[in-house]
């Protein structure tokens, strides 16, 4: 069956990762796509065909999450190596490393104004960082098990988090308190996020469900059981009318939230799907999974509705009471309304002419400390391959990287050095790194204690001064 004009279409796929893809995110312009993987690398793809892709090397373990900052000038990543990194998404790839978590970090999320970054970890905490000063601000502790995801609300006043303790918690960023709690007795949420207007949250459940909660009235609004495996990720369309889900059953599903029903099942991956994300404008979405592929889809299904919505909203001339949600987004019957089953799209059967050629990939190695980083661009071919011509582009090489020196460095290096290549045994290095992390946490703890001690001293001083004033007044009266 040929696809209808309003059906989503697979445009292309990107091959470059060597292991499962864990996270995808579009740049604000929609021209680039960042991906994270079990292979310990980040990759930056250009949506323009045949444009060069960049592979960022720096994390020492699985990269679990990646996100562009709202301006697109930074890229944040989380890893099982217990660090968070900030990258400049260009061919130099400078990065800085944050160390405060004491266990694998599961997610990163920028606030809408780009001032703050929230990170969630298996150390049962959520941490918030100041992006201007690149400093740790505070931790949120109430979960009793691994925290899998933490997201800011669109206005930045709240944070929603989900944990393997089977709870979803809402936090107030002003007073740093947990202000709401949703619990589930069946499974836990793998992923959670706010809808575009910040009134609802969606959770992707390990129990195969997708749930929509209204946080204004603390009510479960919608409950979907459309997958046959755990749901790993969800993404809201910018209109708020649709949500797309990624599941371990190997499918993506698109739900119409206004009609409360499943409208599409997409079967592009050959294995569990771990991540999915709409572009900022909603015209594209991307998915990644265990098959190491990153798929790029064109939406199409929202096009007619958006045009209809704009035309009808232009006709609204009165400005009295706020209109109802259905009035703001008037709906015409969906083209597939008459069909009992949802539309299933299998691009392997229906799509013939895909841009399947893999783009050239440039490796960017980052050598850094825990605060600032000094990086050089080194381009490494795959093992057993000759250095291709695009690796020798002078604009991509650092001044000291002549082709001869580059060849020598290539022979001397691998992605992850083995123990025999190290001057210090791997176990000792890991132990030293762990000690450094504990010292960093201890330093931050001492800093907080110093601040509290200073506040206590100030209050004590004020009390003594007030006591002296009272004593003087009593003496004058007597």
């Amino acid at each position: 069956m040929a696809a209808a004009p309003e059906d989503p279409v697979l445009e292309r796929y990107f091959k470059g990762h060597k292991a499962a893809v864990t996270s995808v995110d579009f740049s604000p312009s929609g021209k680039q796509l960042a991906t994270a993987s079990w292979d310990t690398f980040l990759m930056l793809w250009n949506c323009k065909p045949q444009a060069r892709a960049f592979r960022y090397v720096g994390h020492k373990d699985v990269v679990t999450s990646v996100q562009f900052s709202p301006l697109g000038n930074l890229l944040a990543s989380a890893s099982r190596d217990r660090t968070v990194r900030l990258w400049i998404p260009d061919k130099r790839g400078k990065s800085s490393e944050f160390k405060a978590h004491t266990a694998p970090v599961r997610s990163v999320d920028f606030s809408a104004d780009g001032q703050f970054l929230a990170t969630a970890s298996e150390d049962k905490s959520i941490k918030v960082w100041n992006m201007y000063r690149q400093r740790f601000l505070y931790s949120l502790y109430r979960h009793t098990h691994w925290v899998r995801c933490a997201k800011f609300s669109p206005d930045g006043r709240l944070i929603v988090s989900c944990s393997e303790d089977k709870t979803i918690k809402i936090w107030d960023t002003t007073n740093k308190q947990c202000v709401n709690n949703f619990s589930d007795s069946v499974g836990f949420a793998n992923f959670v996020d706010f809808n575009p207007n910040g009134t609802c949250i969606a959770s992707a459940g390990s129990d195969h469900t997708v749930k929509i909660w209204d946080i204004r009235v603390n009510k479960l609004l919608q409950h979907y059981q459309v997958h046959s495996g755990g749901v790993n990720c969800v993404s809201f369309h910018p209109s708020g009318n649709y949500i797309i889900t990624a599941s371990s059953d190997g499918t993506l599903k698109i739900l119409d939230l206004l009609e409360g029903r499943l409208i599409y099942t997409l079967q592009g991956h050959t294995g569990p799907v771990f991540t999915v994300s709409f572009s900022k404008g909603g015209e594209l979405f991307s998915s990644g999974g265990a098959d190491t592929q990153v798929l790029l889809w064109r939406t199409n299904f929202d096009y007619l509705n958006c045009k209809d919505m704009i035309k009808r909203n232009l006709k609204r001339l009165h400005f009295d009471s706020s209109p109802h949600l259905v009035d703001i987004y008037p709906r015409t019957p969906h083209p597939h309304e008459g069909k009992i089953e949802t539309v299933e799209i299998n691009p392997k059967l229906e799509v013939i002419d895909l841009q399947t050629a893999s783009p050239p990939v440039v490796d960017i190695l980052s050598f850094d400390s825990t605060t600032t980083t000094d990086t050089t661009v080194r381009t490494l071919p795959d093992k057993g391959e000759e250095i291709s011509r695009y690796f020798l582009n002078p604009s991509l090489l650092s001044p000291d990287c002549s082709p001869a020196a580059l060849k020598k460095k290539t022979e001397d290096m691998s992605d992850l050095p083995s123990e025999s290549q190290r001057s210090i045994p791997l176990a000792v290095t890991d132990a030293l790194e762990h000690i450094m992390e504990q010292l960093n946490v201890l330093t931050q703890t001492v800093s907080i204690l110093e601040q509290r001690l200073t506040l206590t001293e100030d209050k004590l001083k004020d009390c003594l001064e007030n006591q002296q004033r009272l004593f003087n007044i009593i003496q004058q009266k007597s």
Side-chain angles (χ1 to χ4, degrees):
M1 182 187 73
E6 72 278 3
D7 293 340
V9 175
L10 177 61
E11 287 214 328
R12 64 182 297 195
Y13 55 87
F14 301 104
K15 288 184 176 179
H17 282 296
K18 301 172 184 176
V21 178
T22 56
S23 180
V24 297
D25 191 50
F26 284 91
S27 65
S29 66
K31 294 180 180 179
Q32 290 181 307
L33 181 69
T35 59
S37 170
W38 275 62
D39 61 14
T40 75
F41 305 135
L42 292 179
M43 292 195 73
L44 187 61
W45 311 88
N46 287 291
C47 294
K48 183 180 176 182
Q50 297 306 309
R52 183 179 285 109
F54 296 104
R55 180 188 287 127
Y56 294 100
V57 184
H59 282 296
K60 299 178 180 68
D61 206 334
V62 171
V63 187
T64 53
S65 178
V66 64
Q67 192 185 54
F68 276 98
S69 64
L71 294 177
N73 60 332
L74 287 174
L75 201 57
S77 62
S79 171
R80 278 204 330 207
D81 65 11
R82 294 176 281 186
T83 68
V84 173
R85 280 181 181 260
L86 283 182
W87 309 78
I88 297 176
D90 59 16
K91 64 185 180 184
R92 294 189 65 195
K94 287 186 176 179
S95 73
S96 56
E97 189 178 64
F98 294 170
K99 289 185 176 182
H101 286 292
T102 57
V105 189
R106 297 301 292 259
S107 82
V108 289
D109 187 60
F110 283 99
S111 59
D113 58 9
Q115 290 189 44
F116 304 102
L117 182 74
T119 59
S121 169
E122 291 179 10
D123 64 10
K124 306 176 187 177
S125 75
I126 300 113
K127 295 187 186 295
V128 177
W129 309 77
N130 182 305
M131 286 294 93
Y132 291 149
R133 296 184 180 182
Q134 293 197 10
R135 289 186 178 179
F136 167 75
L137 288 180
Y138 58 88
S139 293
L140 301 173
Y141 288 104
R142 281 286 292 277
H143 283 296
T144 57
H145 209 307
W146 295 350
V147 186
R148 298 185 70 94
C149 181
K151 295 278 186 179
F152 280 103
S153 62
D155 60 11
R157 291 187 295 179
L158 300 172
I159 290 175
V160 62
S161 63
C162 61
S163 166
E164 292 192 17
D165 64 10
K166 298 184 178 181
T167 66
I168 295 171
K169 296 186 186 296
I170 309 287
W171 310 81
D172 188 323
T173 58
T174 304
N175 59 24
K176 286 78 172 175
Q177 297 296 315
C178 178
V179 295
N180 212 335
N181 190 79
F182 301 101
S183 59
D184 198 328
S185 59
V186 181
F188 57 83
N190 288 311
F191 188 92
V192 67
D193 201 5
F194 284 92
N195 70 338
N197 66 14
T199 58
C200 298
I201 57 171
S203 64
S206 64
D207 60 351
H208 311 177
T209 65
V210 176
K211 296 178 181 178
I212 311 292
W213 310 79
D214 189 325
I215 62 172
R216 297 166 296 183
V217 293
N218 298 335
K219 183 180 178 182
L220 178 63
L221 290 182
Q222 294 179 341
H223 183 186
Y224 296 93
Q225 291 181 302
V226 292
H227 284 289
S228 59
V231 187
N232 300 311
C233 188
V234 296
S235 180
F236 279 99
H237 186 272
S239 68
N241 294 347
Y242 306 95
I243 193 170
I244 189 166
T245 64
S247 169
S248 293
D249 65 13
T251 66
L252 301 164
K253 291 184 185 283
I254 298 168
L255 306 172
D256 185 323
L257 299 181
L258 293 185
E259 294 182 2
R261 69 187 186 93
L262 171 66
I263 55 175
Y264 288 106
T265 297
L266 309 179
Q267 299 174 333
H269 289 278
T270 56
V273 190
F274 295 132
T275 179
V276 67
S277 179
F278 276 108
S279 63
K280 304 304 180 268
E283 68 280 357
L284 298 169
F285 61 93
S286 180
S287 58
D291 59 6
T292 77
Q293 291 191 113
V294 178
L295 305 187
L296 182 67
W297 307 77
R298 186 160 294 279
T299 312
N300 295 337
F301 58 81
D302 67 329
Y303 178 68
L304 294 174
N305 292 331
C306 284
K307 283 180 67 177
D308 182 54
M309 178 185 75
I310 292 167
K311 282 181 182 178
R312 295 200 185 188
N313 282 346
L314 285 174
K315 293 178 182 177
R316 296 183 63 88
L317 300 176
H318 54 88
F319 300 95
D320 33 52
S321 59
S322 299
H324 188 269
L325 179 66
V326 177
D327 193 26
I328 299 173
Y329 302 115
R331 295 300 302 269
T332 55
H334 193 274
H336 303 290
E337 191 73 42
K339 297 183 181 180
I340 298 174
E341 296 181 356
T342 61
V343 178
E344 293 202 9
I345 298 174
N346 190 336
K348 295 194 172 177
L349 300 177
E350 298 177 6
V351 180
I352 300 170
D353 185 21
L354 282 178
Q355 301 163 5
T356 57
S358 298
V361 176
V362 177
D363 280 338
I364 299 174
L365 276 69
S366 178
F367 302 95
D368 53 53
S369 64
T370 56
T371 50
T372 57
T373 62
D374 185 17
T375 62
T376 55
V377 179
R378 304 192 184 186
T379 53
L380 302 178
D382 290 334
K383 293 173 182 177
E385 292 184 3
E386 292 292 325
I387 297 178
S388 305
R389 288 180 184 177
Y390 62 84
F391 283 123
L392 301 181
N393 184 342
S395 66
L396 296 177
L397 301 178
S398 55
D400 61 335
C401 283
S402 64
L406 179 66
K407 188 172 182 181
K408 185 176 186 301
K409 288 177 183 177
T410 304
E411 292 170 353
D412 292 342
M413 294 182 64
S414 64
D415 291 341
L416 294 171
S418 65
E419 191 163 339
S420 61
Q421 291 173 302
R422 294 172 178 262
S423 57
I424 303 173
L426 186 60
V428 176
T429 306
D430 288 343
L432 289 172
E433 285 181 356
H434 184 66
I435 291 168
M436 285 298 295
E437 287 168 8
Q438 296 296 330
L439 286 173
N440 286 335
V441 174
L442 186 60
T443 303
Q444 289 167 0
T445 305
V446 170
S447 176
I448 292 168
L449 289 173
E450 286 177 349
Q451 292 174 8
R452 290 181 176 176
L453 187 60
T454 304
L455 289 171
T456 305
E457 288 174 347
D458 291 342
K459 287 181 179 178
L460 185 60
K461 186 178 177 182
D462 290 341
C463 288
L464 290 171
E465 288 177 353
N466 290 334
Q467 195 174 12
Q468 185 63 42
R469 288 196 199 100
L470 287 170
F471 182 71
N472 292 337
I473 291 169
I474 292 168
Q475 276 191 330
Q476 288 172 6
K477 287 183 178 180
S478 60

